Each structure stands twice: as C-alpha cells, then as structure tokens.
Amino acid sequence: MKNALNANALPQPIHTDGRFRWLGEFLDELQKRGATVEERPAVTLAPARLVHAAREDWGRCAQTASLNGCRWAGVWAEDRGDTLLLTACLEKRGDYLLLRTSLPAEAPEVPSQTSYYPAADRPERHTRDLFGVHFTGRIDTRRWLRHQAWREEQYPLQKSFPVMGTPPAETAPDVDYPFLHAHGKSVYEIPVGPVHAGIIEPGHFRFQAVGETVLNLEERLGYVHKGIEKIAEGRTADGLARLAGRVSGDTTVAHAWAACMAMERAAGVEIPSRALALRALFAERERIVNHLWDIGGVCNDVAFTFAYQQFGRLRELWLRNNGRWFGHRLLMDCVVPGGVATDIAAEAASEMLKEAGALRGELEELFGILENNGSLQDRLVTAGALTPQVALALGCLGYVGRASGIAYDLRRDAPYAPYDKLTVSVPCLVQGDVAARVKVRVEEIRVAIDLLERLLIDLPQGAIRVPWTAPAPGAEGLGLVEGWRGEILSFVRFAESGRIDRYYPRDPSVMNWPALEKLILNNIVPDFPVCNKSINGSYSGHDL
Amino acid sequence: MQGILTKIVKVGLITERVKPYTDDELEHTGTALKAHIDRRFAGSLTIRQLDAGSCNGCELEIHALNNAFYDIERFGVHFVASPRHADVLLVTGPVSRHMQVAALRVYTATPDPKWVVAVGTCAADGGEFGVSYASCGAVSNVLPVDAVIPGCPPTPLALLKGLLTLIRRR
Ligand code: SF4
C-alpha cells in the first residue's frame, strides 16, 4: 500500500463535470485488493486520466477493472531507455483511464491481462513481438505480428533496433505457424490466403469444417505489417499526419484526425472552430461513403447485384464531389496539425446541402427495397450472429458492437468538439446478425446526413488552421475519434525539436477481428464472405 | 420486385459517354484501350489485382473501375480471381516483407506473356512507407515492373489511362 493515493485526495481534480465518478471507488477497491496504484497528474492526456500501478499488480488491475465494468481498449509500450513504459487504456461511461506501469528494460516481465480481458490477447502478442515485453500467465504464447522478417529475439520497436533491420534478401513465408487443428472423421481444413480471390487486402483464414458447417476459424494476420509505428519515429507533426492518413486508407480522415488531436493536446494547440467543423464534416462524409459501399458489398456477397450497383453509383457520386470540393476523392491529407488543409467554398456548402437531401431521398427508396426483399433478408437474417455477451467480452466497437447490444459512440458518450454541441443519436440492436449490422449502418447513414446538414448550416466563420507549435520533449497526448468502424485511439509522444518519439494508432479492427472467428461458428462456409464483409475489418489498420 | 424495376428504369443508363466531369476523357481513353485489347488480346485483357501491402486506399479506386460509371468490362478488361487466368498483375502497396514470397508466387503462377503494373505511389517508389525492416518498398524491388501508375491513390481515370499506356507500348 506504499504511496497509495486515493483519487479524491489529489490536490486538483482534472474533471469537475461529473466525469470519473467511479474512479475513486475503483482505486479504493484496487488498494483493498493489495494493489499499489497512484493517480498522477497528466494534463496533456486529458480528458483521459492516468494511474500508475506497480508492475506485479498489472493483472490484478485488469481483474478489478473487469469486475467494475470497465472496457479494455488497448495496450502499448514505449522504450524509455532503462525502462519500458506499458500503458493500457480502460473506458467506463465515456471516461478513459490510462493505466501505466514501468518495466525494467533488461527483464520486461509483467502479468498478462488476457485472462480478464480476451480483447487483450492479440495486442499483448503484438507488444511482445515488437518490444519484447514478456506477459506472464498467458495460455497462448504464439507469435502474432511477427512472421519471418525479423528473428524471435529481435524487437523492432526497441530504440536500438535500426529502422532497416536485418531482413533476409527474401523473407520466407511463415509456414510453421502453429494453427489449431481439428481431428476426426469428415473434418477437413480450408486454408485461405494471404492472397484472396478479389480486390481485397491479404490475410489468412484457416477453417475447419464438417460438410459445409464451420467448426472453427482461425485468423492469421500481419501480412501487411509495414512498420508504421517504427517509421513514425523522428517524423515532424505534418509527417505524422500524412502517415496516420495511411494507416487504413478507407479511414484516412478519422486516423489523421485522431493523430492530430493527440499531437494538438500534447502541444496545447487550440484549433479554430471552423477547422473542427470541417474535420467533422470530412469524417461524416467518410462514414457515409464507407457505409454505402459496405451495404452494397454485403448485398453483392449474396448475389443481390442490383443493390451493389445502386450503392456503387451513390458512392461514386459522393467520391466525385469530394474530389471537386476538397481536391481528393478519399479526402487524404485534408486533416493537418493545427486544423484542415482545405476550406469549403460558399457555393460548395449550398451544393452539399442539396447533395445530402438528394442522397436521403435515394436511400429511403433503396432501403425500402432491401428491407422488403425476402431473398435478401433470408440470407442476412440469423447469418453470422454475434451475441451481446461475446461482443461485450471482446470489446467490440462501432457497428459491430452496436448491432450486438453495445450502444457506445464516442461522439455521444465522450464527445469531442464539435460533437459536444451536436446531438448524435446512436442506433443499437441486439440480434447481432448480418442483417442487424446492415440495419445499424443504414441508420448511421441517416444520422450522419443529419449531422452533415447541421454542420453546414452552423459552419463557423474564420481561420481553418493555426500555426503549429511543437511541444517540449516528452509531451504526450491521446486522440480519440469515432471513425466509421468505431473508436480510434491514437497515442503520441514527442521527442526533441518537435519530432515524434512514439505513435500508436489502435484501429477499431483490432477489437473487431476476433469477433469474426466467433460469429462464423456453425454457419456454412459459403456464408463466410458475407459475414466477413459485414464486419469489414481493416487488415492494414490492424497490421500497422 | 416492382420497386427494383422502377428504380432501374428511373436511374437509367449511367455508364458514361459524354459527362462534364470527365470531359469525354473516359470514353476516349476507354475506346482507345478497347481497340488495342481487341487487336492484341483477342478482345479481352484479364487482370489479377494483388495487394502486396497497401493501406487499402488504392483498392478503393481499383474497385471503382467496376462501378457503372466506368464499367471497365465494356472495354474488354476483366478482373479475375486467379493469377493463372491473368495477363496483367496490378500490384499495390509497398511490398511488405511478409508478402514478399506471396507476391513472387503470384508472379510465377501468372502465365507468360504477363505484365506487372505498379499502382500507386507506394508501389512506384515506396511512398510514405519506403524501405524498412518490414517493407521492401517499391514493387520493382521485388518483381519486374512493366508500367507504373502513380497517385495516392490514382483515380479510376488515371488507372484507365495507365493501362492504355501499357498496352500501347506492348
Ligand atoms: S499509394 Fe497511397 S493509397 Fe495507395 S497504398 Fe500507398 S498510401 Fe495507400
């Protein structure tokens, strides 16, 4: 209990607006269980709060957090010379708590949190493969992100590891990865990938099936790992925003926004209200276009090509308008540190209002057709059902969580500007099947169109960017943005002269990929494409 | 069913001939492409797309080639599921080291004569990702490249023009 402090005993509480009411009790409870924890002031990490824990208490902290109804939202490490800093992110009622511990660099060992939070499984393996953190008490000790580009005892995110590494001239395929095997008469395996039969990212799926029924599915990702966390180091703020915009191309706006938010919080840079409104406008446009495309894609995967063509048409029109108004069809590099790179002309704003109205009309017509098409609904209803219990245990995000009973949306539950001044309604269903995920996304498009109109009508005047001022070395910030797939978490720490020391983006896909392994069980193999599409995890956003 | 038919009739044919946005460029490019494909490839050019490490942005635009506006199939270009059926490999991304051998195998599986097109800035020169412990950088560091279509990502029209340039040269 040494140095143990109650949050209430802190000289200056960071939040006074009714946030973090649960924290005092949570820390008390931890201390009762014998954990050494202490809240530390961390102004630039706000609205999150920071609690340090002794490393031997890492598992106990997770156990207590899980019993207290906290959601587990990520873990990342930092090489700080003699020590490795390990930070986990927890969330409860929209309050974000960072739990931190330091590990001696020569023996970075810490109890695993996976037995309390299944969601921690792959992120811990990711941290082990890249930093050498040894999580004790794990059942699954297999590598995850590492294939054969670096050796087992090499850790690319340690500062001493050169960015070029020492890869072989030709990196061997990772053929010895120990997949689970099923045995028995009539059980067979289907290995799929990394190269799939379409225009799609690479990854491997290993099915065990009996007849058409899926007994087990194991995902193997990491194929598009391109060292994003490593090559972020030493970048300028502008350079990091560009890189963040390429973590997952379909989420370029939200990732760039999350990274810029983290950097701006670290540097105490306040951005103009017009820039905030434009960021939200870009983000809603990104949400709409991805939802349109995926609803079409789901229909295509059950051979309802009418909808695929119609939604593809609406998508193309939307992308062309992006290009016309903002100079880039996907809005890449529109979000920059200190604000946005492109303004919206007055004529474009009024055209966009018309565009939004027209889309709403088209959608009502199309959604009606989807809803009333028996053959389509027959394929979607009950397919790939993810129960609320499993979704909760895995910490599923975005429409995957919302179709399975988890009504969480940062824009409403932990609102950042400009959403703090907007009403965001959050659709939620409990069926958890493909049909529910489509329905939630249909509803989210409607909400996004409303938001788009609101943003356009209330668009503040003024500057769209302020000059960037680099923070002191060591400054850290946390960005949290509701991307179209769900919550994006982005951690940034600065080094000397405004350069990036550490960047960790956690795409919502990290939390949603494991759900696919569960919801496909007892479905038939031919339903895999539509189930997969209804989740649509990002490979690139996951593999980094 | 009635709803579907009404919608189809109402939307009509949107595949572009002369549209202000493309300034007729799409039609010109496409027709020229088709003429070459007819002459050299007996009317059909097959493409296998290979994501060798992209951020998935390039895939979004390659997908767009198949929407009703561009409808690349009408120029004789088909995307195929297997490299064994392909004339052209459209490769995106820096080649991640974890995809290096897979990319080589896809190349080997593609019958001769074959062409590799590096699509996007990453495929052209490594882009934002460059060469590192995890990335081989440009596609040409791994496979022989016949044409490059730069852009981050290249627009559908740029993709179409890039294909035309490749075919003209061959
Ligand atoms: S060129 Fe741009 S869009 Fe294409 S993979 Fe590279 S970063 Fe992504």
Side-chain angles (χ1 to χ4, degrees):
Chain A
M1 295 278 283
K2 53 182 175 358
N3 296 330
L5 266 187
N6 186 304
N8 302 327
L10 266 187
Q12 160 232 347
I14 300 154
H15 287 267
T16 49
D17 54 355
R19 287 263 173 212
F20 282 103
R21 284 226 180 90
W22 53 275
L23 184 58
E25 215 171 287
F26 172 62
L27 294 179
D28 284 349
E29 166 109 21
L30 270 172
Q31 287 163 9
K32 257 189 243 137
R33 289 165 178 264
T36 308
V37 288
E38 178 194 5
E39 181 165 12
R40 302 253 173 102
V43 184
T44 61
L45 287 173
R49 280 165 77 166
L50 178 68
V51 165
H52 269 255
R55 75 161 152 153
E56 59 274 18
D57 295 328
W58 196 246
R60 204 182 323 227
C61 287
Q63 184 185 29
T64 315
S66 150
L67 290 170
N68 270 267
C70 291
R71 173 171 62 88
W72 192 93
V75 69
W76 62 93
E78 294 176 77
D79 181 353
R80 309 288 292 161
D82 290 345
T83 53
L84 278 178
L85 276 190
L86 189 68
T87 309
C89 182
L90 301 168
E91 179 271 335
K92 183 172 179 174
R93 297 189 207 133
D95 301 328
Y96 285 81
L97 183 69
L98 299 183
L99 197 64
R100 185 169 280 170
T101 192
S102 50
L103 316 173
E106 72 279 3
E109 218 179 79
V110 69
S112 164
Q113 299 189 325
T114 296
S115 47
Y116 309 107
Y117 286 111
D121 175 41
R122 290 173 182 176
E124 283 187 353
R125 290 158 74 188
H126 175 115
T127 309
R128 194 263 324 272
D129 288 355
L130 293 171
F131 278 97
V133 174
H134 177 52
F135 292 92
T136 57
R138 288 187 54 91
I139 297 166
D140 189 345
T141 54
R142 294 172 300 172
R143 60 187 176 273
W144 179 241
L145 213 65
R146 183 176 74 81
H147 290 199
Q148 298 297 325
W150 64 96
R151 293 192 309 277
E152 188 168 3
E153 66 287 0
Q154 293 183 311
Y155 303 108
L157 286 181
Q158 291 185 354
K159 296 282 183 196
S160 57
F161 186 93
V163 68
M164 294 308 292
T166 47
E170 190 177 298
T171 296
D174 196 28
V175 286
D176 302 325
Y177 183 78
F179 286 99
L180 289 177
H181 288 290
H183 300 277
K185 238 175 138 189
S186 311
V187 179
Y188 65 101
E189 261 193 8
I190 315 174
V192 184
V195 179
H196 300 164
I199 303 170
I200 183 172
E201 299 179 81
H204 184 91
F205 300 113
R206 185 67 61 97
F207 295 91
Q208 271 95 29
V210 174
E212 287 290 25
T213 307
V214 179
L215 278 187
N216 191 49
L217 163 66
E218 214 181 330
E219 295 158 1
R220 173 76 173 126
L221 302 176
Y223 288 92
V224 288
H225 174 64
K226 31 195 182 283
I228 286 177
E229 291 169 90
K230 186 76 176 180
I231 61 174
E233 294 175 7
R235 284 188 176 231
T236 60
D238 281 337
L240 184 68
R242 265 201 318 279
L243 183 64
R246 287 157 180 82
V247 165
S248 181
D250 51 20
T251 317
T252 179
V253 171
H255 266 292
W257 189 354
C260 286
M261 187 189 278
M263 291 192 281
E264 286 152 6
R265 282 173 172 169
V269 169
E270 290 263 349
I271 76 160
S273 56
R274 187 174 176 86
L276 285 169
L278 287 170
R279 281 183 182 180
L281 193 135
F282 298 153
E284 296 310 322
R285 291 190 69 84
E286 182 168 273
R287 191 180 325 278
I288 290 169
V289 82
N290 279 292
H291 283 351
L292 286 175
W293 181 226
D294 279 358
I295 294 172
V298 163
C299 292
N300 193 45
D301 281 343
V302 293
F304 189 42
T305 47
F306 162 79
Y308 179 64
Q309 290 301 336
Q310 294 293 338
F311 285 100
R313 172 177 66 88
L314 296 175
R315 167 181 186 258
E316 177 66 21
L317 291 170
W318 202 255
L319 294 179
R320 287 180 178 193
N321 283 339
N322 279 349
R324 219 148 53 83
W325 294 327
F326 306 110
H328 196 286
R329 283 163 52 97
L330 307 180
L331 303 173
M332 265 180 181
D333 305 322
C334 288
V335 175
V336 291
V340 292
T342 42
D343 204 346
I344 178 168
E347 320 82 71
S350 63
E351 268 186 74
M352 204 189 290
L353 275 173
K354 277 193 216 120
E355 176 210 37
L359 180 64
R360 187 185 281 117
E362 290 248 21
L363 289 178
E364 289 322 312
E365 193 180 1
L366 288 173
F367 292 157
I369 290 173
L370 300 194
E371 192 70 8
N372 294 319
N373 191 299
S375 319
L376 177 70
Q377 294 303 326
D378 183 51
R379 293 293 306 272
L380 306 187
V381 174
T382 72
L386 179 70
T387 63
Q389 291 82 344
V390 174
L392 199 64
L394 296 176
C396 290
L397 295 169
Y399 49 82
V400 179
R402 289 191 280 270
S404 292
I406 305 173
Y408 185 74
D409 188 315
L410 267 161
R411 295 171 299 165
R412 181 192 66 182
D413 302 313
Y416 44 100
Y419 295 105
D420 51 350
K421 305 233 161 48
L422 294 163
T423 312
V424 183
S425 69
V426 180
C428 185
L429 294 170
V430 292
Q431 291 85 343
D433 52 5
V434 175
R437 285 187 283 280
V438 169
K439 250 192 212 154
V440 164
R441 298 180 77 171
V442 164
E443 203 46 47
E444 286 183 21
I445 298 181
R446 292 197 177 111
V447 175
I449 296 177
D450 292 348
L451 286 170
L452 205 60
E453 291 175 333
R454 207 56 270 151
L455 286 161
L456 283 165
I457 291 164
D458 296 339
L459 201 61
Q461 293 302 315
I464 57 163
R465 193 174 186 180
V466 291
W468 172 252
T469 40
E476 53 182 332
L478 186 70
L480 289 159
V481 164
E482 188 75 24
W484 64 272
R485 278 195 184 89
E487 170 200 81
I488 292 172
L489 179 158
S490 193
F491 174 81
V492 173
R493 189 190 292 279
F494 281 90
E496 307 292 322
S497 54
R499 299 280 165 168
I500 301 301
D501 185 54
R502 178 79 173 103
Y503 169 54
Y504 174 67
R506 203 235 56 229
D507 191 85
S509 307
V510 173
M511 314 314 264
N512 288 345
W513 269 118
L516 182 62
E517 287 184 350
K518 302 292 173 219
L519 63 84
I520 196 64
L521 300 179
N522 293 319
N523 282 260
I524 54 170
V525 177
D527 268 355
F528 178 71
V530 70
C531 291
N532 188 16
K533 189 78 209 172
S534 76
I535 302 286
N536 193 10
S538 168
Y539 298 70
S540 180
H542 169 280
D543 293 353
L544 299 183
Chain B
M1 198 60 207
Q2 201 195 340
I4 297 179
L5 293 176
T6 316
K7 186 73 188 167
I8 290 172
V9 172
K10 238 183 1 196
V11 169
L13 192 64
I14 56 169
T15 303
E16 291 186 328
R17 297 196 181 279
V18 188
K19 278 272 154 90
Y21 173 79
T22 55
D23 200 23
D24 214 17
E25 244 183 317
L26 174 61
E27 188 67 14
H28 282 315
T29 314
T31 320
L33 184 63
K34 181 157 190 342
H36 285 276
I37 291 174
D38 284 350
R39 209 162 53 242
R40 314 250 170 108
F41 294 89
S44 110
L45 182 79
T46 53
I47 297 182
R48 167 67 233 210
Q49 194 268 338
L50 173 68
D51 175 343
S54 107
C55 79
N56 79 32
C58 280
E59 280 61 38
L60 292 175
E61 292 297 48
I62 294 172
H63 263 298
L65 286 174
N66 280 321
N67 74 35
F69 289 94
Y70 303 102
D71 186 21
I72 194 172
E73 290 249 351
R74 73 190 146 134
F75 304 128
V77 181
H78 312 278
F79 282 87
V80 292
S82 168
R84 298 196 193 280
H85 304 155
D87 301 309
V88 171
L89 292 177
L90 220 51
V91 189
T92 63
V95 181
S96 74
R97 296 202 184 270
H98 292 170
M99 279 298 288
Q100 190 178 5
V101 164
L104 288 165
R105 287 182 182 170
V106 166
Y107 181 77
T108 314
T110 311
D112 285 318
K114 58 190 163 194
W115 295 279
V116 174
V117 183
V119 170
T121 309
C122 292
D125 62 12
E128 275 304 311
F129 305 102
V131 179
S132 73
Y133 78 93
S135 162
C136 305
V139 173
S140 60
N141 293 343
V142 176
L143 300 175
V145 167
D146 299 281
V148 170
I149 306 178
C152 183
T155 61
L157 191 57
L159 289 167
L160 214 55
K161 285 187 185 166
L163 284 175
L164 177 60
T165 315
L166 167 80
I167 307 244
R168 265 204 188 122
R169 271 208 328 248
R170 295 289 128 193

